[in-house]
Amino acid sequence: CIKDKNMELSHFREIHNFTMLRIIDFKRFTLSQMLSYVEFITNTLKYEDQYKSNVVLTVRTFYSYLHKELHLLKENQFEDLAIPKYRLKTVVHMTVEECQKYLSVIDNIRDKAIIELILNTGARRCEVANALLANLDLENKILLVVGKGNKERFLYLNNIVVNLLQQYLNTRHDSCNYLFISNHCNKLDY
C-alpha cells in the first residue's frame, strides 16, 4: 500500500515537473493544477476511476499530513477535494454445482481440506496459510485466524470441514506449528 502511494506521488511529481520532493514545490501547487492532473490521467492516460480516486486520496492525505502533523502549511487547500467515485468490479461466485465439480477432482486430502475450509468459512488464503495448529479446536469446531489489519477472528467450522481436517491431521507426522504445511514441512505460500 505504501509502495503504491509512493508510486502515485512519484508519478504525480513527474507530471508536474517536480524534480525533487521539496516542500516549497508543494506549497506552490494549486487546486486548479490538481484538477488539471486528474483531467490528464482521465483523458490522456485513460486510467481507471479507481486509480483516480487513489491519486486524489493520496494527495489529500499528504497535504493533510503537511498541514496537521508537520505544520508546514497554513491551510490545506485540498481538504474538501472530492474523491472521484468508481464502481466496484462485480465478483463472480461459483455455483454449488461448480464447487462440487471442483472438489471432486481433488485427490489430496490437504488440498481438499483447504478448499472446503475456504468455501465454507469465507477464509482468505493468507488466513489459511498462516493458521496455526494451536489455534484449531476441532471439539468446539473453531479455528482462530489472523486476518486483515492483523485482526484475530474465529472461523466456525461445519462437520464437513472438521472431518476433512481430522483426516488431514491423521496423515501428518511432524511437529510443525502451522495447520497446513508443504511436503517439506514448511508453511504454505499464498
Side-chain angles (χ1 to χ4, degrees), residues 8-148:
E8 287 165 8
L9 280 174
S10 173
H11 185 247
F12 174 75
R13 285 192 315 264
E14 288 172 19
I15 297 297
H16 290 284
N17 299 319
F18 291 130
T19 54
M20 296 188 308
L21 179 59
R22 294 190 330 248
I23 292 303
I24 190 87
D25 292 328
F26 286 97
K27 281 184 178 178
R28 287 187 274 171
F29 189 64
T30 65
L31 184 59
S32 67
Q33 287 173 313
M34 180 63 203
L35 295 173
S36 296
Y37 175 67
V38 171
E39 187 178 323
F40 174 77
I41 63 175
T42 302
N43 299 330
T44 306
L45 300 180
K46 306 288 186 209
Y47 284 158
E48 300 212 5
D49 291 340
Q50 185 174 356
Y51 182 80
K52 287 190 305 189
S53 291
N54 289 342
V55 167
V56 171
L57 186 60
T58 300
V59 170
R60 272 183 44 175
T61 304
F62 179 68
Y63 273 88
S64 178
Y65 176 74
L66 292 176
H67 175 64
K68 292 179 181 173
E69 302 294 326
L70 299 181
H71 307 290
L72 293 172
L73 298 173
K74 291 178 184 169
E75 63 179 338
N76 179 5
Q77 62 181 330
F78 300 103
E79 189 170 34
D80 297 324
L81 183 61
I83 298 171
K85 302 274 188 235
Y86 61 92
R87 288 182 184 234
L88 295 176
K89 294 179 182 171
T90 304
V91 178
V92 179
H93 298 280
M94 294 172 68
T95 65
V96 172
E97 294 79 22
E98 289 171 329
C99 291
Q100 290 170 342
K101 186 176 178 182
Y102 182 70
L103 286 164
S104 71
V105 296
I106 300 173
D107 295 329
N108 182 307
I109 190 67
R110 180 202 66 191
D111 295 347
K112 190 170 266 195
I114 290 171
I115 298 300
E116 282 283 4
L117 179 64
I118 290 170
L119 290 174
N120 285 284
T121 65
R124 296 176 181 93
R125 60 185 182 180
C126 62
E127 292 172 333
V128 172
N130 292 319
L132 298 174
L133 248 172
N135 293 338
L136 176 64
D137 182 353
L138 289 176
E139 188 176 313
N140 293 308
K141 301 179 182 179
I142 293 174
L143 174 62
L144 177 67
V145 295
V146 179
K148 278 184 169 181

Side-chain angles (χ1 to χ4, degrees), residues 127-176:
E127 292 172 333
V128 172
N130 292 319
L132 298 174
L133 248 172
N135 293 338
L136 176 64
D137 182 353
L138 289 176
E139 188 176 313
N140 293 308
K141 301 179 182 179
I142 293 174
L143 174 62
L144 177 67
V145 295
V146 179
K148 278 184 169 181
N150 214 23
K151 293 179 185 170
E152 292 182 340
R153 69 181 181 122
F154 287 105
L155 301 179
Y156 299 96
L157 313 175
N158 63 19
N159 290 334
I160 294 170
V161 175
V162 169
N163 291 335
L164 285 168
L165 287 172
Q166 285 173 329
Q167 289 176 43
Y168 166 64
L169 292 174
N170 289 338
T171 66
R172 286 187 44 181
H173 306 288
D174 59 75
S175 59
C176 186

